[in-house]
Amino acid sequence: MNVSLRPRRRPRARRTLAALSTVALGLTGLSLTACSADSTDDDAAGDTLSVAASFYPIQYLAEAIGGDNVTVTSITPTNVEPHDYELAPKDVTALSSTDLVAYVPGFQPSLDDALAEVAGPTVVDLSEAVDLVPHDGVEHDDEADGAHESTQADDGADAATTDPHFWLDPVRMQSAAQAIETALAQADPDHAADYQANLAELTEALGGLDADFSTGLAQCERTTFVAAHAAFGYLAERYGLTQASVSGVDPESEPSPAELATVKQVVQETGTTTIFTEELVSPKTAEALAAETGATTAVLNPLESAPESGDYADAMSANLQALRTALACE
Ligand SMILES: [Zn+2]
């Protein structure tokens, strides 16, 4: 191909030969500016990559990296708890006409099933990039009183033993961002330079968040916090904290009396003064536990849906403040 073609002199050639613009972008940073300034040409017509993210944190990453070159939708509707979200037939149909789907297997079995059925989208499995591991609270189904629960443990070993909540660890979010950038650049090489630039910016912002958490949680009176459900295992591990939770990994599951007794004991032994609740789950049990132990309640957002105001970074900063208050950090 004619690499010496100068796109700025021959804009028509650039429009007709889309592939050449990639070459041009690689050659000079100036053409990148020229390209976005020229957005009046029909670059956008039908060219936008459609991305379906399984739920909010992945949607946030895809939007930040994809910018104007992608149209991102969340498969789980806003304000719907994504654990065990059941896709409607129309969701499955919509998936088949999507260019790219980004998700974590094991978190939403109904989506796993749908993706096994649909042909068409490029499927981006983020689980390897974010290095999912088991955490306490995720395995609580298997404990001593659970003889009658044993079928649950046989049901998909991965989902039962690894913790899906990688997005509450900013460092794992950086890895997920990298994986999404790679997938977008492969699917839409014409805009690879945009994706790379957006990734760099996002990686820096997430790095800043990580630094804030490290500093903000370094000197605290307590290190154990009580969450509504076991979503904060990666966060706890990253910043040297210990998570206890009212419910296990599934926010909808009611804790057994034995589990409640265990959490109550943790609250009393660690001098915990705050029981965390979350927006999409009834605070009833957490409030009862707080009342019994003389603690108060506060919100810690597991970011399983878009926050009511602001975005992921804002909600994570609010989480940091909530933890600092609860743990009496300096
Ligand atoms: Zn969760």
Side-chain angles (χ1 to χ4, degrees), residues 182-209:
T182 302
L184 291 182
Q186 268 170 16
D188 177 24
D190 284 2
H191 296 110
D194 292 351
Y195 301 138
Q196 202 175 7
N198 292 340
L199 173 68
E201 200 175 308
L202 179 61
T203 300
E204 195 181 332
L206 290 168
L209 201 56

Side-chain angles (χ1 to χ4, degrees), residues 20-38:
L20 282 178
S21 67
T22 315
V23 176
L25 286 177
L27 289 179
T28 156
L30 281 177
S31 350
L32 182 64
T33 332
C35 183
S36 27
D38 272 3

